[in-house]
């Protein structure tokens, strides 16, 4: 299901390209400048083995007993160019301890690291965002060069209000891993940074974008929410624009149309069905509302007044509640 969404898939090298339609691009040319793994739930791809020690260099040994092990990674099996940034490499001893964990031998954030390793068996794990892949290697007195396939792509979401871009600070983008019956089965990214690419394993994802109201130093969720179901393909950037339809309404309780706003007034905004959207206090408070019809309730000096109004996307305006006949 897609609501208010337009998007594109492109090679990960094309992060600057506009996302206006679905594309079928060639294989990966270069990787985007992706951030390291976020502080979010564990990897969706292969997870690293449980480690028993902090990162360490191989134990001192004669140079002849070590061999250089060069590592690189690609997003998709057909990619030629190695990923250039955003990777975290860890090398573990393949031998498990009594509790099943593996000693962490070395670690690097370089895109294409080289580790001097003694002869033996190892498990190499590489992470990019929420994507992870592991591979077993053997060092036997000779240099080793290994390539790891991530089977991952990137997701970049932007927001728009009509045809105008929404500042990333005004969006809360959540990414879910759906199951057969629930599109929001597992929240994996509670706040995806808008306009920035995030590395994800190949697969289907459910996106929820909520427009935020930023006023007087406070950030409040609005009732404008857009949904999209997207599929991330290995070696490609899936980019899309989630389009919100909302406007800013300024509330006033007045004695006459166009008159001075009365201070010390409290307001409640309701849906036509009576659900409370927001409650505010002030002479003329403002809030962002999704396109639709609403009821404004104003309370002043122990009397209650109300008015109905309509919100049209991108048409900011005042909403006046007349202090005439109080609501009984």
């Amino acid at each position: 299901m897609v609501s208010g969404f337009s998007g594109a898939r492109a090679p990960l090298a094309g992060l600057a390209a506009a996302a206006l339609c679905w594309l079928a691009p060639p294989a990966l040319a270069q990787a985007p400048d992706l951030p390291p793994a976020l502080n979010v739930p564990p990897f969706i791809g292969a997870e690293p083995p449980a480690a028993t020690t902090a990162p360490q260099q191989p134990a001192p040994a004669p140079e002849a007993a070590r061999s250089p092990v060069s590592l690189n990674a690609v997003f998709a099996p057909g990619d030629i160019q190695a990923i250039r940034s955003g990777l975290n490499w860890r090398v573990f001893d393949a031998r498990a301890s009594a509790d099943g964990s593996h000693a962490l031998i070395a670690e690097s954030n370089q895109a294409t690291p080289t580790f001097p390793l003694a002869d033996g068996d190892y498990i190499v794990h590489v992470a990019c965002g929420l994507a992870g892949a592991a591979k077993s290697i053997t060092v036997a007195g000779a240099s080793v060069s290994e390539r790891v396939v991530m089977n991952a792509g990137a997701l970049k979401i932007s927001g728009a209000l009509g045809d105008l871009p929404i500042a990333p600070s005004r969006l809360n983008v959540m990414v879910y891993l759906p199951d057969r019956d629930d599109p929001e089965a597992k929240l994996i990214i509670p706040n995806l940074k808008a306009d920035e690419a995030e590395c994800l394993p190949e697969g289907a994802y459910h996106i929820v974008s909520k427009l935020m109201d930023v006023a007087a130093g406070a950030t409040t969720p609005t009732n404008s929410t857009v949904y999209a179901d997207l599929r991330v393909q290995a070696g490609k950037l899936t980019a899309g624009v989630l389009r919100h339809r909302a406007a800013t309404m300024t509330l006033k309780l007045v004695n006459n149309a166009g008159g001075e706003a009365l201070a010390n007034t409290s307001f409640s905004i309701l849906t036509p069905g009576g659900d409370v959207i927001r409650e505010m206090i002030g002479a003329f408070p403002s809030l962002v509302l999704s396109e639709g019809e609403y009821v404004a309730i104003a309370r002043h000096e122990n009397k209650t007044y109300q008015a109905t109004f309509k919100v049209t996307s991108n048409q900011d305006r005042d909403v006046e509640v007349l202090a005439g006949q109080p609501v009984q």
Side-chain angles (χ1 to χ4, degrees):
M1 176 186 68
V2 177
S3 174
F5 169 80
S6 60
R9 289 194 183 92
L12 288 181
L15 285 176
L20 298 177
C21 60
W22 294 111
L23 303 176
L28 175 69
Q30 69 180 50
D33 189 13
L34 294 175
L38 300 177
N39 183 23
V40 289
F43 299 107
I44 305 172
E47 297 188 16
T52 58
T53 64
Q56 60 181 0
Q57 294 299 320
E63 290 298 321
R66 300 186 187 183
S67 301
V69 176
S70 300
L71 304 171
N72 65 82
V74 292
F75 283 110
D79 293 345
I80 298 175
Q81 188 81 39
I83 300 173
R84 296 181 179 179
S85 62
L87 299 180
N88 176 250
W89 292 90
R90 281 178 281 183
V91 179
F92 298 87
D93 191 330
R95 296 168 299 179
S97 61
D99 63 359
S101 61
H102 296 256
L104 178 58
I105 303 300
E107 186 173 23
S108 175
N109 288 323
Q110 296 180 3
T112 56
T114 297
F115 299 107
L117 298 177
D119 288 359
D121 296 323
Y122 300 91
I123 299 173
V124 173
H125 183 271
V126 58
C128 172
L130 291 185
K135 188 173 186 178
S136 297
I137 64 171
T138 297
V139 179
S143 61
V144 176
S145 180
E146 290 287 346
R147 169 162 289 186
V148 180
V149 179
M150 300 289 296
N151 286 317
L155 175 68
K156 184 173 75 169
I157 297 297
S158 302
L161 191 56
D163 294 326
L164 300 177
I166 299 175
S169 62
R170 294 192 62 200
L171 285 179
N172 180 25
V173 181
M174 294 165 281
V175 181
Y176 292 85
L177 190 63
D179 65 18
R180 183 179 302 177
D181 301 316
D182 184 2
E184 299 178 8
K186 182 179 181 181
L187 178 63
I188 59 172
I189 305 180
N191 195 353
L192 176 70
K193 292 183 179 179
D195 297 334
E196 294 186 15
E198 173 68 21
C199 186
L200 288 170
E202 184 175 47
Y205 298 93
H206 181 71
I207 315 299
V208 178
S209 173
K210 185 173 288 291
L211 182 63
M212 308 300 287
D213 191 354
V214 181
T219 302
T220 306
T222 73
N223 67 328
S224 179
T225 305
V226 180
Y227 306 89
D229 292 313
L230 304 176
R231 184 170 186 83
V232 172
Q233 294 183 359
K236 295 180 175 62
L237 167 70
T238 298
V241 178
L242 296 177
R243 300 187 182 277
H244 288 262
R245 300 184 61 81
T248 300
M249 301 288 106
T250 300
L251 306 173
K252 297 180 180 180
L253 177 65
V254 296
N255 287 316
N256 302 290
E260 189 79 14
L262 300 179
N264 300 319
T265 303
S266 62
F267 293 91
S268 297
I269 306 301
L270 288 70
T271 66
D275 296 325
V276 178
I277 299 295
R278 188 98 166 263
E279 294 186 333
M280 313 175 75
I281 299 176
F284 38 86
S286 296
L287 76 162
V288 177
L289 290 170
S290 179
E291 193 172 64
E293 295 184 353
Y294 299 91
V295 177
I297 304 294
R299 299 177 181 85
H300 179 75
E301 294 182 348
N302 297 320
K303 294 182 180 179
T304 301
Y305 311 91
Q306 77 174 43
T308 60
F309 65 98
K310 184 176 182 180
V311 176
T312 302
S313 183
N314 286 83
Q315 294 185 17
D316 300 346
R317 66 183 183 89
D318 294 345
V319 174
E320 293 184 340
V321 181
L322 295 178
Q325 185 68 30
V327 177
Q328 299 299 324

